[in-house]
Amino acid sequence: MKPTGCHLFLSRPDIIKEIKQGRLRFDPPIDQTRIEQVSVDLLLGHNFTRFKERSAGYLSAVHLDDSIWDSLDIWDRVEGDSYVLEPGKFVLAQTLEKVCIPNHLVGLIEGRSRYARLGLTTHLTAPKIDPGFSGPITLEIANLGNLPLRLRAAVDSIAQLMLVRLTRP
């Protein structure tokens, strides 16, 4: 009997089934060793976006509009195989994988505890990945620890994706 009124998280066999049936897709494809009991480990991509040191002006959280993300006065964009995140600093990054979530699932992105123990927060807010989403997932990363941390693209799996079945697509 199916429980009602609760979340139905996909387990490893269900995640594998969704992938094999082509409904849940990852590009590049993921190895099954990265599928845990109720999550998929995602790798860090090569693109990093950080605030410029001494950005001009200030940001008003009340009046943000979409043009803020394209402002060269505020952001530095870096591409590379690694990125050193200093203590107290923040960077936006993306997953290496482009994720395609089918309409009957919703994703939840979370950091991984092995990195959190070093002071690395991988996703600060808004963990929901909507049904029908397709693309790399943007990660909000901060170093709350005391030591610089080298983040390695295509090596470090700093985020995990959990999947929840919707009651109605």
Side-chain angles (χ1 to χ4, degrees):
M1 176 157 96
K2 276 191 178 178
T4 58
C6 65
H7 299 296
L8 295 174
F9 282 85
L10 267 61
S11 63
R12 185 176 197 278
D14 292 326
I15 294 169
I16 291 170
K17 180 179 177 182
E18 291 286 339
I19 293 169
K20 284 185 178 179
Q21 292 179 346
R23 294 188 297 245
L24 175 64
R25 297 186 312 276
F26 298 89
D27 183 25
I30 60 161
D31 185 275
Q32 283 193 13
T33 60
R34 292 186 16 227
I35 303 172
E36 301 291 337
Q37 291 178 341
V38 294
S39 64
V40 178
D41 292 340
L42 299 176
L43 295 173
L44 184 63
H46 295 273
N47 297 314
F48 303 91
T49 302
R50 62 184 177 211
F51 284 112
K52 284 187 175 184
E53 293 294 325
R54 306 177 91 43
S55 296
Y58 64 92
L59 298 178
S60 172
V62 176
H63 300 290
L64 287 181
D65 64 45
D66 287 342
S67 68
I68 193 76
W69 306 115
D70 297 321
S71 174
L72 298 177
D73 293 334
I74 298 171
W75 302 104
D76 276 330
R77 289 180 173 75
V78 179
E79 189 171 328
D81 292 332
S82 68
Y83 182 87
V84 176
L85 187 59
E86 298 291 335
K89 296 295 182 177
F90 171 82
V91 68
L92 295 174
Q94 292 183 321
T95 58
L96 178 70
E97 301 84 4
K98 177 182 174 185
V99 180
C100 298
I101 297 181
N103 288 332
H104 65 283
L105 299 177
V106 65
L108 297 171
I109 192 79
E110 292 290 340
R112 298 199 48 223
S113 61
R114 71 174 51 175
Y115 295 97
R117 292 179 188 120
L118 301 172
L120 189 74
T121 63
T122 300
H123 203 67
L124 298 175
T125 185
K128 177 180 61 79
I129 311 298
D130 285 324
F133 173 84
S134 182
I137 298 171
T138 300
L139 305 171
E140 304 146 349
I141 305 171
N143 183 352
L144 303 177
N146 295 326
L147 299 170
L149 299 173
R150 180 173 301 278
L151 307 174
R152 301 169 300 165
V155 175
D156 292 332
S157 57
I158 67 171
Q160 57 188 330
L161 177 67
M162 294 174 285
L163 297 152
V164 180
R165 191 173 313 280
L166 297 175
T167 55
R168 291 185 186 180

